[in-house]
Amino acid sequence: MNTWPTRAAALPDRVSIREVGPRDGLQSENPIPPEDKVRLIDALSGTGLRRIEAVSFVHPKAIPQMADADEVWRAVTRSPEVQYSALAPNLKGAQRALDAGFDHVEVVVSASDTHNLNNIKRSTDESLDGIAELIAALGDRGPTIEVIVATAFGCPYEGDVAAERVASIVDRVITDGAHRIAFGDTTGMATPRRVAELLDLVRSAHPDVPLLLHFHNTRGTALANVLTAMDYGVVEFDASVGGLGGCPYAPGASGNLATEELVHMLHDMGVETGVDLDALIEVAELAESLVGRELPSGVLRAGPRTRLTPKPDIKD
Amino acid sequence: MNTWPTRAAALPDRVSIREVGPRDGLQSENPIPPEDKVRLIDALSGTGLRRIEAVSFVHPKAIPQMADADEVWRAVTRSPEVQYSALAPNLKGAQRALDAGFDHVEVVVSASDTHNLNNIKRSTDESLDGIAELIAALGDRGPTIEVIVATAFGCPYEGDVAAERVASIVDRVITDGAHRIAFGDTTGMATPRRVAELLDLVRSAHPDVPLLLHFHNTRGTALANVLTAMDYGVVEFDASVGGLGGCPYAPGASGNLATEELVHMLHDMGVETGVDLDALIEVAELAESLVGRELPSGVLRAGPRTRLTPKPDIKD
């Protein structure tokens, strides 16, 4: 028997996956009814996933797909083993999230000014001021606040985004009281090089801040990026069941990294996730039927590598 | 300015890509006329690619798509800078390839008995005997003979294929006089772990034998596998323009790694390939129009990460 050699020593024993299909994924699919969202969230919580981004509290005019956040969240059967989170665009949204019972709230800022302006009509600095105010205003209610830095590996309008710029955003929000950081590869521009450059900088400045990476598979690099990030000690990743979604503000963006592709690779490498892959693939099939389009996940199409084809009846 | 840190030191300066779209790719697409194959091959040789698998000399009953190999090859405008190769299933096919002027010939054996039996009605050992005879018979004509070991990372019928079994096939064919080895991930079952396990074994036994890897992106792992293989010093990869093809004998197989996805990632990592990516994407568009179906390449769909979206007209 072989043992998985050399690089295995550097691999984490376990990776924590946050499932973002119900929010990030559905946000850029055709709208589906609230009861279907609830069905999806509850199915996901039965797969062993321990973190689910459930809804976002954005203005219904901005993202009509999320107008039913309160209704969906009230109807979800909340598993005590799952940490649910909500995205909030601003203080009002964050307050709605806390009022609804969330204790993990995500806020977003784009590292690229042009992307941030196009997204929410504010410069990056203006958004950072808003985040500082939000953290100050909510601090005594005790939520965990994660700042998602979008376009962290490149902007579809500006091109490369300097790792130093992203790192300085991290410095600022940590100073302002953020508890966690996520880097979003909003339009799939990350490659192993970009991941390594950014993590090198950020990990040397903030070795202990919880850090999560969110990759899109737009150009085929998502799992290569995950591999690189694990080399830098990152053990938290977003993924979206079936590869649901993209980014409504990012032209040319295609699907999120599919959760089952991430779980499939990690498990074969001996990295645990706690997820039942077969159950997850069934939920990907459900997701596909709910949104009514073929989802881009290879593991959904082909099954895991352990799913064998019946041996043919070979005649001489 | 950042420099691409840490892992960059271990990266090769240059990778050699063999384009397999015209043979491996088209073999599992709907048949196209010989003049279109010639057009594709000639377009590829204009992109900077230096190796092209052009045709295979198989029996027309086995693979009707390749019945026109002689006709295609005669009509190709042969670039003196490109090394063209042909696949041959047996001695007769290899002789046809040499008669047609090829000096690089590929022969195939499956590491999995069941796959080999289903493919060509011979056991793996019988195929290895045939390869030994082929090498002995052709030796004085001086071709470079590459043995492609299919299902090297797993078999769709048998499941895992022991790395020791693959390594012992390598031992045998090297002893029998093969000049080069390729490992085929026939149905996309490779993961970084499987790549590392096999390369660890084979590289310790045969550190200097030229070795090429052929990945499918069936389950999203192709570029993660490339990254792992480069860690082990591999600098030769197959890829297929647009992601053309799969494997006609392998149920559930989906597309080859798309050449433009490989080039795109490597160039951003500072690894040279000699390929003009924009020109290659144009050829992927041509390939898509020739086969008349949407090809699975993300870089073909979204463009490279350097292709920017016009800045929106942002109003306050």
Side-chain angles (χ1 to χ4, degrees):
Chain A
M1 277 291 290
N2 267 318
T3 51
W4 157 221
T6 318
R7 289 188 47 169
L11 286 174
D13 294 331
R14 194 174 181 87
V15 151
S16 171
I17 298 174
R18 177 169 64 191
E19 168 60 46
V20 300
R23 199 286 303 173
D24 183 286
L26 290 181
Q27 173 171 320
S28 40
E29 303 284 348
N30 287 322
I32 67 172
E35 59 270 26
D36 284 351
K37 296 180 185 178
V38 173
R39 202 173 149 205
L40 180 65
I41 294 169
D42 288 347
L44 287 164
S45 70
T47 64
L49 283 161
R50 289 292 167 261
R51 295 161 80 179
I52 299 176
E53 188 189 53
V55 293
S56 72
F57 291 96
V58 294
H59 197 285
K61 277 192 188 161
I63 303 180
Q65 288 93 331
M66 291 291 136
D68 53 10
D70 279 302
E71 179 183 358
V72 168
W73 179 236
R74 273 195 305 272
V76 163
T77 303
R78 298 175 203 175
S79 163
E81 295 178 312
V82 174
Q83 178 195 99
Y84 299 91
S85 61
L87 184 96
N90 51 32
L91 179 57
K92 190 173 168 193
Q95 283 165 332
R96 281 179 63 201
L98 299 193
D99 292 345
F102 284 96
D103 52 11
H104 284 73
V105 176
E106 305 150 19
V107 296
V108 184
V109 57
S110 275
S112 146
D113 254 331
T114 312
H115 190 265
N116 209 61
L117 282 163
N118 189 44
N119 196 335
I120 55 163
K121 296 188 170 57
R122 286 176 161 200
S123 70
T124 298
D125 281 342
E126 287 167 343
S127 275
L128 290 172
D129 291 342
I131 288 170
E133 290 162 22
L134 180 152
I135 294 171
L138 297 184
D140 57 354
R141 295 185 65 178
T144 297
I145 295 177
E146 172 177 307
V147 176
I148 300 174
V149 186
T151 66
F153 303 99
C155 166
Y157 307 117
E158 296 185 6
D160 291 342
V161 171
E164 288 81 356
R165 180 174 167 90
V166 181
S168 74
I169 291 171
V170 174
D171 294 343
R172 159 109 200 239
V173 299
I174 294 294
T175 303
D176 289 340
H179 306 103
R180 307 177 33 81
I181 301 292
F183 291 138
D185 180 24
T186 313
T187 59
M189 292 172 70
T191 67
R193 168 192 171 181
R194 307 289 161 180
V195 173
E197 279 181 354
L198 182 55
L199 292 181
D200 234 30
L201 267 186
V202 171
R203 273 308 184 204
S204 54
H206 303 283
D208 299 320
V209 171
L211 181 60
L212 176 147
L213 298 191
H214 174 113
F215 292 118
H216 284 222
N217 204 23
T218 315
R219 294 169 179 89
T221 57
L223 289 177
N225 294 336
V226 167
L227 202 62
T228 304
M230 289 195 297
D231 279 349
Y232 283 83
V234 174
V235 294
E236 301 184 37
F237 298 96
D238 273 356
S240 176
V241 65
L244 276 174
C247 173
Y249 300 115
S254 65
N256 283 299
L257 170 58
T259 315
E260 58 274 19
E261 290 195 354
L262 177 60
V263 169
H264 176 263
M265 183 181 86
L266 292 176
H267 284 192
D268 193 59
M269 294 172 71
V271 178
E272 260 316 305
T273 66
V275 178
D276 177 334
L277 181 56
D278 290 333
L280 182 65
I281 291 171
E282 285 182 26
V283 182
E285 288 165 359
L286 169 67
E288 194 165 63
S289 74
L290 294 179
V291 299
R293 72 171 183 105
E294 185 171 296
L295 294 178
S297 159
V299 170
L300 171 56
R301 292 269 87 68
R305 66 189 295 289
T306 50
R307 184 184 296 172
L308 302 187
T309 301
K311 290 196 187 188
D313 184 19
I314 296 163
K315 298 183 185 70
D316 280 311
Chain B
M1 277 288 291
N2 267 318
T3 52
W4 157 221
T6 319
R7 289 188 47 169
L11 285 174
D13 293 331
R14 195 174 179 87
V15 150
S16 172
I17 298 175
R18 178 168 64 191
E19 168 58 47
V20 300
R23 199 286 302 173
D24 183 285
L26 290 182
Q27 174 172 320
S28 38
E29 301 285 348
N30 288 323
I32 68 171
E35 58 271 24
D36 283 352
K37 296 180 184 177
V38 172
R39 202 172 149 207
L40 180 63
I41 294 169
D42 288 348
L44 287 164
S45 69
T47 63
L49 283 161
R50 289 294 167 260
R51 297 161 80 179
I52 299 176
E53 188 190 52
V55 293
S56 71
F57 291 97
V58 294
H59 197 286
K61 277 192 189 161
I63 303 180
Q65 288 93 330
M66 290 290 136
D68 54 10
D70 279 303
E71 180 184 355
V72 168
W73 178 235
R74 274 195 305 272
V76 164
T77 301
R78 298 176 203 175
S79 162
E81 295 178 314
V82 174
Q83 178 195 98
Y84 298 92
S85 61
L87 184 95
N90 51 32
L91 179 57
K92 191 175 167 192
Q95 284 166 331
R96 280 178 65 201
L98 299 192
D99 293 345
F102 284 95
D103 52 12
H104 284 73
V105 177
E106 305 151 18
V107 296
V108 184
V109 58
S110 275
S112 145
D113 254 332
T114 311
H115 191 263
N116 210 62
L117 283 163
N118 189 43
N119 196 334
I120 56 163
K121 297 187 169 56
R122 286 176 161 200
S123 71
T124 298
D125 281 341
E126 287 168 341
S127 276
L128 290 171
D129 291 342
I131 288 170
E133 290 163 22
L134 181 153
I135 295 172
L138 296 183
D140 57 354
R141 294 184 68 178
T144 297
I145 295 176
E146 173 177 306
V147 176
I148 301 173
V149 185
T151 65
F153 303 99
C155 166
Y157 308 117
E158 296 185 8
D160 291 343
V161 171
E164 288 82 356
R165 181 175 167 90
V166 180
S168 75
I169 291 171
V170 174
D171 294 342
R172 159 109 199 239
V173 300
I174 295 294
T175 303
D176 290 341
H179 305 104
R180 307 176 33 79
I181 301 292
F183 291 138
D185 180 25
T186 312
T187 58
M189 292 172 70
T191 68
R193 169 192 171 180
R194 307 290 161 178
V195 174
E197 280 182 352
L198 182 55
L199 292 180
D200 233 30
L201 267 187
V202 170
R203 273 306 184 207
S204 53
H206 304 282
D208 299 321
V209 171
L211 181 60
L212 177 148
L213 298 191
H214 174 113
F215 293 118
H216 284 224
N217 205 23
T218 315
R219 294 170 179 88
T221 57
L223 289 177
N225 294 334
V226 166
L227 202 62
T228 305
M230 290 194 297
D231 278 348
Y232 282 83
V234 174
V235 293
E236 302 183 37
F237 298 95
D238 275 355
S240 177
V241 65
L244 276 173
C247 174
Y249 300 115
S254 65
N256 282 298
L257 170 58
T259 315
E260 59 276 17
E261 290 194 355
L262 177 60
V263 169
H264 176 263
M265 183 182 86
L266 292 176
H267 284 191
D268 193 57
M269 294 172 71
V271 178
E272 261 317 305
T273 66
V275 177
D276 177 333
L277 180 57
D278 290 331
L280 181 66
I281 291 171
E282 286 182 26
V283 182
E285 288 166 359
L286 169 66
E288 194 165 62
S289 74
L290 293 178
V291 299
R293 72 172 183 103
E294 186 170 297
L295 294 177
S297 159
V299 171
L300 170 56
R301 291 269 86 71
R305 65 190 295 289
T306 51
R307 185 185 295 172
L308 301 187
T309 302
K311 290 195 189 190
D313 185 19
I314 296 162
K315 297 182 186 72
D316 279 309

